[in-house]
Amino acid sequence: MSKRIVINPVTRIEGHAKISIYLDDQGEVADARFHVTEFRGFEKFCEGRPFWEMPGITARICGICPVSHLLASAKSGDRLLAVQIPPAAEKLRRLMNLGQIIQSHALSFFHLSSPDLLLGWESDPAQRNVFGVMATEPALARGGVRLRQFGQTVIEQLGGRKIHPAWAVPGGVRSSLSRVGREQICQQLSEAKKTILETLTLFKKLLEDFQEEVHIFGNFPSLFMGLVGADGTWEHYDGCLRVVDSGGNILGDQLDPSNYRDFIGEAVQPDSYLKSPYYKPLGYPDQTQHCRLENGLYRVGPLARLNICDRIGTPLAEIELQRFRQYDMGNSSFFYHYARLIEILTCIERIELALDDPDLQSHHLRARADVNQHEAIGVGEAPRGTLFHHYKIDDTGLLTYVNLVIATGQNNLAMNRTVAQIARHYIHGPQIPEPMLNRLEAGIRAFDPCLSCSTHAFGKMPLQLQLISAEGQLLAECYR
């Protein structure tokens, strides 16, 4: 008889999820699934709100990446007003997004994933956490904390607070960067750059010990999607979409993000609150065990951004990008960790260059208008990948429709492929040592999923209702 093994909860990720492993009669893995078990539904309860409020509301979707929602929402607002925001406002928004990427990537690598890499998959679960890293690698742990603090300093000096800044608004931003704020950022730049360069050196040494994981953790052909500049340079705030396959062939380029519905479909699976976007021209992926190039499964985020860009655009990060590509492992989700570190470096370099721009102290920060469009789509690159905010409003500016296409959702199909691949490699029989289960969780952690962002209603919402007696007996059960 087949057997189901459940990992619940998946640890060291943002949000609530579980993994189900299905064994056949011979004890081999027949399938493995990643289930997101929490539901929030921001899309629905935002209906009826004035679109002016949306940047502040949607920033509260997540405490890890509030800036990403703040900016995507404000960009939708810009389009509803049909205005071109002042150049200083765009530069300031870009600066805040760079800080957001740094602090989020630092959290993912140092706090959530480094315990596996530094302490080992087989280490004591009670010690395999950030406190264990602090005990064994105090200098590295401190560097990670300080690096995240640097990203938060950028956000705070622009928006007035580290989390949920109500700063970007339709038409621009509320305030510029003060001279005092600029000095505080400058004072931390040197330490931040030193930390990330040392961490990159360490990670490349660690790769020598993790060749098995590199080849097993989500190493399969897929598409990759993200924003690039007009010249193909790495982009994080604006630009057009590019889709490439695993061989680096460009399938779609200079795609207008406002037309995302032409090439991104959104499917629903009955065992998860996470939507499953796919690339429409190649269709919804089949459910066989074999990954094929001719299907619409795609990945977003730092790995995808490095795979699709022609260049990264800053000197030190460009050197690291070329080294990254020499490994020829851009299909491996394990390399999300490597890509995050390179992105932190380019963000630091870009901040360093931006701080000398006098526009950051400009007072011309906002274009003002009334409702001029009834539908708009704002798009940017969140730390975890491309983020879409799609709004429709009435004549008074009240929202009648909201659709959020979140990066973690776009990685959903790839995460399911990843846990199935890892499970089939490591699990043979009903007795599964804890380190093997930890590897399954680590496969998910490589994507750094943000589940609070990505759980929304779409189509028919799955619901299971159980009536349990005081003695723990199941009395009745129904599904919708």
Side-chain angles (χ1 to χ4, degrees):
M1 183 179 294
S2 61
K3 181 179 180 181
R4 178 189 180 198
I5 298 169
V6 178
I7 304 173
N8 188 17
V10 178
T11 58
R12 283 185 275 138
I13 62 171
E14 196 289 316
H16 305 285
K18 65 182 180 181
I19 295 172
S20 294
I21 307 162
Y22 300 92
L23 304 181
D24 61 20
D25 293 341
Q26 288 73 45
E28 297 296 312
V29 174
D31 197 10
R33 299 286 300 165
F34 176 65
H35 315 282
V36 178
T37 56
E38 63 174 298
F39 174 76
R40 301 180 77 201
F42 259 79
E43 291 163 320
K44 196 64 181 176
F45 67 65
C46 284
E47 292 178 8
R49 306 301 305 177
F51 79 93
W52 300 96
E53 296 180 353
M54 288 298 283
I57 290 175
T58 57
R60 282 151 177 82
I61 290 176
C62 179
I64 304 300
C65 47
V67 170
S68 306
H69 292 286
L70 177 79
L71 297 182
S73 182
K75 290 179 74 175
S76 290
D78 300 341
R79 289 174 173 266
L80 293 172
L81 299 178
V83 298
Q84 184 75 32
I85 69 171
E90 179 176 332
K91 292 175 182 178
L92 289 160
R93 286 183 182 181
R94 283 180 171 275
L95 185 61
M96 181 178 274
N97 202 39
L98 293 171
Q100 164 65 51
I101 292 171
I102 291 170
Q103 72 88 13
S104 179
H105 281 359
L107 174 66
S108 172
F109 182 81
F110 291 95
H111 294 67
L112 304 182
S113 291
S114 73
D116 297 320
L117 305 176
L118 297 172
L119 306 180
W121 314 105
E122 288 80 14
S123 57
D124 181 359
Q127 303 298 320
R128 198 173 57 220
N129 50 49
V130 68
F131 298 106
V133 174
M134 291 167 63
T136 58
E137 300 282 350
L140 183 73
R142 181 183 182 278
V145 170
R146 293 281 292 168
L147 189 58
R148 184 168 187 239
Q149 183 184 44
F150 171 68
Q152 290 178 312
T153 295
V154 175
I155 296 169
E156 183 178 28
Q157 294 306 319
L158 290 167
R161 55 171 64 174
K162 298 175 182 178
I163 302 174
H164 307 319
W167 175 73
V169 293
V173 300
R174 295 183 187 275
S175 59
S176 60
L177 177 65
S178 69
R179 295 190 182 279
V180 173
R182 179 187 179 280
E183 288 305 312
Q184 289 202 14
I185 295 170
C186 285
Q187 289 171 9
Q188 297 181 32
L189 266 169
S190 178
E191 180 187 1
K193 186 183 289 186
K194 180 175 181 289
T195 296
I196 192 58
L197 289 172
E198 290 176 347
T199 306
L200 274 162
T201 299
L202 172 63
F203 183 80
K204 285 178 284 190
K205 291 180 180 177
L206 291 173
L207 277 177
E208 299 172 6
D209 298 325
F210 292 119
Q211 287 306 299
E212 181 176 347
E213 287 77 13
V214 166
H215 287 84
I216 298 302
F217 280 33
N219 184 23
F220 49 76
S222 77
L223 308 179
F224 297 93
M225 189 189 78
L227 294 174
V228 293
D231 61 352
T233 301
W234 180 91
E235 182 56 75
H236 66 98
Y237 173 79
D238 211 351
C240 292
L241 291 168
R242 174 180 284 180
V243 180
V244 305
D245 65 17
S246 292
N249 303 300
I250 298 176
L251 304 186
D253 202 10
Q254 296 300 302
L255 301 173
D256 185 348
S258 295
N259 298 327
Y260 78 94
R261 289 164 296 179
D262 293 341
F263 46 86
I264 294 178
E266 296 183 83
V268 177
Q269 299 181 56
D271 57 3
S272 178
Y273 285 116
L274 208 58
K275 293 187 287 189
S276 298
Y278 61 96
Y279 186 58
K280 272 186 178 180
L282 295 185
Y284 187 73
D286 62 36
Q287 297 302 304
T288 66
Q289 298 181 11
H290 303 288
C291 300
R292 300 177 292 108
L293 280 173
E294 62 272 19
N295 67 38
L297 183 153
Y298 69 95
R299 285 177 269 190
V300 296
L303 181 66
R305 289 190 287 258
L306 295 197
N307 280 341
I308 66 170
C309 72
D310 296 331
R311 66 196 63 83
I312 204 161
T314 57
L316 294 177
E318 188 64 39
I319 293 171
E320 291 297 337
L321 175 62
Q322 297 311 314
R323 290 171 177 165
F324 169 90
R325 289 178 171 171
Q326 287 174 4
Y327 285 96
D328 196 26
M329 289 303 300
N331 282 333
S332 173
S333 294
F334 191 87
F335 266 43
Y336 267 101
H337 302 304
Y338 195 175
R340 278 187 197 97
L341 299 178
I342 296 173
E343 286 199 329
I344 290 175
L345 178 58
T346 195
C347 288
I348 292 171
E349 289 187 286
R350 286 168 184 261
I351 289 172
E352 189 172 28
L353 293 169
L355 288 176
D356 289 331
D357 191 330
D359 270 357
L360 299 185
Q361 280 79 50
S362 171
H363 297 293
H364 180 41
L365 302 174
R366 190 168 179 180
R368 299 182 184 275
D370 206 338
V371 173
N372 285 301
Q373 301 287 344
H374 290 89
E375 183 175 5
I377 296 163
V379 182
E381 286 290 335
R384 292 153 187 84
T386 316
L387 171 65
F388 299 81
H389 275 229
H390 183 182
Y391 304 158
K392 295 180 184 179
I393 60 173
D394 62 19
D395 290 336
T396 66
L398 297 182
L399 287 152
T400 59
Y401 171 87
V402 177
N403 188 38
L404 308 178
V405 186
I406 311 296
T408 295
Q410 293 174 79
N411 280 329
N412 190 23
L413 295 172
M415 288 191 290
N416 275 284
R417 291 280 197 191
T418 296
V419 294
Q421 185 181 52
I422 296 172
R424 290 187 181 104
H425 181 80
Y426 286 108
I427 296 175
H428 305 282
Q431 302 303 317
I432 306 176
E434 190 278 335
M436 299 300 104
L437 299 181
N438 182 44
R439 282 176 167 84
L440 282 170
E441 294 185 72
I444 294 299
R445 284 193 287 268
F447 290 87
D448 187 27
C450 185
L451 306 181
S452 297
C453 287
S454 50
T455 55
H456 307 285
F458 186 81
K460 185 177 180 181
M461 184 178 71
L463 179 67
Q464 176 184 4
L465 180 65
Q466 292 182 328
L467 180 62
I468 308 295
S469 70
E471 293 75 28
Q473 181 181 0
L474 177 64
L475 302 178
E477 184 173 30
C478 61
Y479 297 86
R480 187 183 71 183

